[in-house]
Amino acid sequence: MAGLILLAACGKVQSLQPAAGRPLPLKPATAPVRPDAAALLAVPTQYRPGRSDELLSKSAIRPDDRFDLPPH
């Protein structure tokens, strides 16, 4: 069992390329040029936005909410 785990862990790491004889996907209709493999693998910013760690810097008293009723 340990031999299988070691064998599975020793895979060769290389950059991704399309399979031999297979082209990259077609150019999107709105794109000015056909993207290459690196552009297709890049993560857009909107999928991984910047993190905001701003803590509450000042507290304020909330106004009365007439719809915030206790449960029945």
Side-chain angles (χ1 to χ4, degrees), residues 25-35:
L26 297 174
K27 179 181 86 66
T30 58
V33 295
R34 183 174 168 178

Side-chain angles (χ1 to χ4, degrees), residues 1-70:
M1 186 67 166
L4 290 175
I5 293 172
L6 289 174
L7 182 62
C10 70
K12 183 178 178 185
V13 178
Q14 61 184 1
S15 62
L16 294 175
Q17 297 295 329
R22 304 282 312 261
L24 287 171
L26 297 174
K27 179 181 86 66
T30 58
V33 295
R34 183 174 168 178
D36 60 351
L40 290 171
L41 292 173
V43 179
T45 307
Q46 71 186 55
Y47 295 144
R48 192 177 295 166
R51 184 174 172 175
S52 176
D53 289 336
E54 182 180 343
L55 300 175
L56 184 62
S57 56
K58 60 181 178 179
S59 60
I61 298 174
R62 294 175 60 179
D64 229 8
D65 183 6
R66 63 185 177 139
F67 296 105
D68 186 20
L69 301 174

